[in-house]
Tab-separated table of all heavy atoms in Angstrom:
chain	number	residue	atom	x	y	z
F	145	ILE	N	-1.002	7.638	28.106
F	145	ILE	CA	-0.162	6.681	28.854
F	145	ILE	C	0.022	7.102	30.273
F	145	ILE	O	-0.140	6.329	31.238
F	145	ILE	CB	1.196	6.512	28.149
F	145	ILE	CG1	1.008	6.080	26.686
F	145	ILE	CG2	2.050	5.468	28.866
F	145	ILE	CD1	2.291	5.976	25.885
F	149	ILE	N	-1.825	5.363	34.190
F	149	ILE	CA	-1.135	5.006	35.448
F	149	ILE	C	-1.553	5.882	36.580
F	149	ILE	O	-1.847	5.450	37.678
F	149	ILE	CB	0.387	5.022	35.214
F	149	ILE	CG1	0.780	3.905	34.242
F	149	ILE	CG2	1.110	4.867	36.552
F	149	ILE	CD1	2.254	3.792	33.992
F	150	ILE	N	-1.623	7.194	36.303
F	150	ILE	CA	-2.034	8.136	37.380
F	150	ILE	C	-3.390	7.810	37.927
F	150	ILE	O	-3.639	7.920	39.145
F	150	ILE	CB	-2.039	9.596	36.813
F	150	ILE	CG1	-0.628	10.075	36.480
F	150	ILE	CG2	-2.688	10.554	37.778
F	150	ILE	CD1	-0.544	11.372	35.712
F	153	GLU	N	-5.262	2.589	36.642
F	153	GLU	CA	-5.821	1.529	35.793
F	153	GLU	C	-4.977	0.268	35.906
F	153	GLU	O	-3.777	0.296	36.104
F	153	GLU	CB	-5.840	1.978	34.333
F	153	GLU	CG	-6.679	3.216	34.101
F	153	GLU	CD	-8.180	2.960	34.167
F	153	GLU	OE1	-8.572	1.783	34.336
F	153	GLU	OE2	-8.950	3.947	34.106
F	154	LYS	N	-5.653	-0.867	35.781
F	154	LYS	CA	-4.939	-2.169	35.807
F	154	LYS	C	-4.586	-2.659	34.422
F	154	LYS	O	-3.845	-3.637	34.271
F	154	LYS	CB	-5.876	-3.226	36.480
F	154	LYS	CG	-6.279	-2.883	37.910
F	154	LYS	CD	-5.051	-2.644	38.804
F	154	LYS	CE	-5.474	-2.304	40.218
F	154	LYS	NZ	-4.325	-1.951	41.082
F	178	VAL	N	-2.924	-4.294	27.175
F	178	VAL	CA	-1.620	-4.469	27.837
F	178	VAL	C	-1.839	-4.281	29.352
F	178	VAL	O	-2.321	-3.214	29.756
F	178	VAL	CB	-0.577	-3.443	27.324
F	178	VAL	CG1	0.723	-3.543	28.098
F	178	VAL	CG2	-0.325	-3.666	25.845
F	179	PRO	N	-1.506	-5.280	30.169
F	179	PRO	CA	-1.738	-5.166	31.621
F	179	PRO	C	-0.750	-4.129	32.236
F	179	PRO	O	0.324	-3.934	31.754
F	179	PRO	CB	-1.476	-6.562	32.163
F	179	PRO	CG	-0.586	-7.193	31.121
F	179	PRO	CD	-0.972	-6.599	29.813
F	180	ILE	N	-1.207	-3.549	33.362
F	180	ILE	CA	-0.386	-2.653	34.136
F	180	ILE	C	-0.204	-3.215	35.526
F	180	ILE	O	-1.189	-3.388	36.254
F	180	ILE	CB	-1.042	-1.232	34.221
F	180	ILE	CG1	-1.284	-0.650	32.861
F	180	ILE	CG2	-0.165	-0.293	35.080
F	180	ILE	CD1	-2.065	0.685	32.875
F	181	ALA	N	1.029	-3.513	35.895
F	181	ALA	CA	1.314	-4.081	37.206
F	181	ALA	C	1.400	-2.963	38.243
F	181	ALA	O	1.445	-1.770	37.933
F	181	ALA	CB	2.598	-4.883	37.170
F	182	GLU	N	1.491	-3.353	39.519
F	182	GLU	CA	1.447	-2.377	40.628
F	182	GLU	C	2.594	-1.358	40.539
F	182	GLU	O	2.397	-0.203	40.956
F	182	GLU	CB	1.536	-3.112	41.962
F	182	GLU	CG	1.447	-2.183	43.158
F	182	GLU	CD	1.454	-2.917	44.495
F	182	GLU	OE1	0.361	-3.312	44.986
F	182	GLU	OE2	2.583	-3.089	45.045
F	183	ASN	N	3.761	-1.782	40.049
F	183	ASN	CA	4.904	-0.867	39.984
F	183	ASN	C	5.315	-0.489	38.585
F	183	ASN	O	6.394	0.113	38.399
F	183	ASN	CB	6.088	-1.489	40.727
F	183	ASN	CG	5.823	-1.643	42.214
F	183	ASN	OD1	5.325	-0.740	42.876
F	183	ASN	ND2	6.066	-2.833	42.761
F	184	THR	N	4.510	-0.739	37.598
F	184	THR	CA	4.776	-0.350	36.214
F	184	THR	C	4.911	1.172	36.119
F	184	THR	O	4.057	1.903	36.624
F	184	THR	CB	3.670	-0.818	35.275
F	184	THR	OG1	3.609	-2.248	35.287
F	184	THR	CG2	3.964	-0.398	33.830
F	185	THR	N	5.972	1.624	35.480
F	185	THR	CA	6.150	3.086	35.256
F	185	THR	C	5.615	3.480	33.868
F	185	THR	O	5.398	2.622	33.019
F	185	THR	CB	7.620	3.486	35.333
F	185	THR	OG1	8.330	2.853	34.242
F	185	THR	CG2	8.252	3.058	36.668
F	186	MET	N	5.458	4.787	33.693
F	186	MET	CA	5.013	5.284	32.391
F	186	MET	C	5.977	4.850	31.287
F	186	MET	O	5.549	4.446	30.216
F	186	MET	CB	4.900	6.808	32.415
F	186	MET	CG	4.299	7.409	31.164
F	186	MET	SD	5.424	7.649	29.789
F	186	MET	CE	6.268	9.136	30.272
F	187	GLY	N	7.274	4.910	31.577
F	187	GLY	CA	8.254	4.513	30.559
F	187	GLY	C	8.121	3.091	30.170
F	187	GLY	O	8.216	2.735	28.977
F	188	GLU	N	7.890	2.194	31.124
F	188	GLU	CA	7.721	0.765	30.829
F	188	GLU	C	6.468	0.512	30.031
F	188	GLU	O	6.449	-0.260	29.059
F	188	GLU	CB	7.713	-0.013	32.125
F	188	GLU	CG	9.069	-0.033	32.834
F	188	GLU	CD	9.010	-0.491	34.280
F	188	GLU	OE1	7.899	-0.565	34.841
F	188	GLU	OE2	10.072	-0.802	34.853
F	189	LEU	N	5.384	1.195	30.428
F	189	LEU	CA	4.117	1.022	29.702
F	189	LEU	C	4.233	1.611	28.283
F	189	LEU	O	3.742	1.001	27.322
F	189	LEU	CB	2.960	1.716	30.453
F	189	LEU	CG	1.579	1.624	29.820
F	189	LEU	CD1	1.149	0.166	29.638
F	189	LEU	CD2	0.562	2.417	30.657
F	190	HIS	N	4.888	2.743	28.157
F	190	HIS	CA	5.124	3.341	26.854
F	190	HIS	C	5.787	2.368	25.901
F	190	HIS	O	5.352	2.186	24.751
F	190	HIS	CB	6.002	4.599	27.015
F	190	HIS	CG	6.543	5.144	25.725
F	190	HIS	ND1	7.646	4.620	25.125
F	190	HIS	CD2	6.157	6.185	24.961
F	190	HIS	CE1	7.911	5.311	24.016
F	190	HIS	NE2	7.027	6.271	23.895
F	192	ALA	N	5.961	-0.910	26.045
F	192	ALA	CA	5.087	-2.053	25.748
F	192	ALA	C	4.018	-1.679	24.726
F	192	ALA	O	3.732	-2.443	23.789
F	192	ALA	CB	4.428	-2.577	27.027
F	246	HIS	N	1.746	7.142	44.843
F	246	HIS	CA	2.470	6.089	44.121
F	246	HIS	C	2.168	6.111	42.626
F	246	HIS	O	3.069	6.011	41.746
F	246	HIS	CB	2.147	4.756	44.748
F	246	HIS	CG	2.860	3.568	44.141
F	246	HIS	ND1	4.225	3.489	44.000
F	246	HIS	CD2	2.360	2.423	43.576
F	246	HIS	CE1	4.587	2.344	43.414
F	246	HIS	NE2	3.444	1.675	43.149
F	247	ASN	N	0.876	6.228	42.304
F	247	ASN	CA	0.460	6.282	40.924
F	247	ASN	C	1.023	7.483	40.182
F	247	ASN	O	1.467	7.408	39.034
F	247	ASN	CB	-1.046	6.309	40.809
F	247	ASN	CG	-1.710	5.042	41.275
F	247	ASN	OD1	-1.047	4.009	41.420
F	247	ASN	ND2	-3.007	5.066	41.510
F	249	ILE	N	3.834	9.142	40.945
F	249	ILE	CA	5.298	8.962	40.760
F	249	ILE	C	5.548	8.018	39.595
F	249	ILE	O	6.394	8.303	38.739
F	249	ILE	CB	5.887	8.396	42.056
F	249	ILE	CG1	5.834	9.465	43.158
F	249	ILE	CG2	7.335	7.922	41.845
F	249	ILE	CD1	6.148	8.886	44.570
F	250	ARG	N	4.815	6.946	39.480
F	250	ARG	CA	4.992	5.992	38.365
F	250	ARG	C	4.569	6.651	37.046
F	250	ARG	O	5.214	6.469	36.014
F	250	ARG	CB	4.136	4.746	38.613
F	250	ARG	CG	4.511	3.927	39.799
F	250	ARG	CD	3.723	2.630	39.848
F	250	ARG	NE	2.279	2.819	39.985
F	250	ARG	CZ	1.399	2.284	39.185
F	250	ARG	NH1	1.751	1.487	38.207
F	250	ARG	NH2	0.093	2.494	39.369
F	251	GLY	N	3.464	7.403	37.070
F	251	GLY	CA	2.941	7.995	35.844
F	251	GLY	C	3.823	9.069	35.272
F	251	GLY	O	3.740	9.377	34.097
F	252	PHE	N	4.678	9.681	36.138
F	252	PHE	CA	5.574	10.768	35.690
F	252	PHE	C	7.037	10.287	35.577
F	252	PHE	O	7.934	11.120	35.529
F	252	PHE	CB	5.467	11.931	36.647
F	252	PHE	CG	4.293	12.829	36.384
F	252	PHE	CD1	3.155	12.368	35.730
F	252	PHE	CD2	4.315	14.170	36.761
F	252	PHE	CE1	2.077	13.202	35.448
F	252	PHE	CE2	3.245	14.999	36.501
F	252	PHE	CZ	2.117	14.535	35.889
F	253	ASN	N	7.244	9.008	35.552
F	253	ASN	CA	8.581	8.420	35.397
F	253	ASN	C	8.678	7.761	34.041
F	253	ASN	O	7.954	6.786	33.782
F	253	ASN	CB	8.841	7.379	36.517
F	253	ASN	CG	10.215	6.761	36.454
F	253	ASN	OD1	10.988	7.002	35.551
F	253	ASN	ND2	10.530	5.926	37.433
F	273	SER	N	8.985	4.380	44.169
F	273	SER	CA	8.200	4.184	45.394
F	273	SER	C	7.571	2.793	45.396
F	273	SER	O	7.458	2.154	44.352
F	273	SER	CB	7.140	5.261	45.518
F	273	SER	OG	6.281	5.255	44.401
Side-chain angles (χ1 to χ4, degrees):
I145 304 176
I149 293 182
I150 292 170
E153 300 288 353
K154 301 303 181 186
V178 175
I180 302 175
E182 183 178 272
N183 294 314
T184 298
T185 65
M186 187 278 280
E188 292 165 345
L189 180 58
H190 167 281
H246 180 55
N247 293 345
I249 292 167
R250 296 186 300 128
F252 277 25
N253 181 355
S273 59

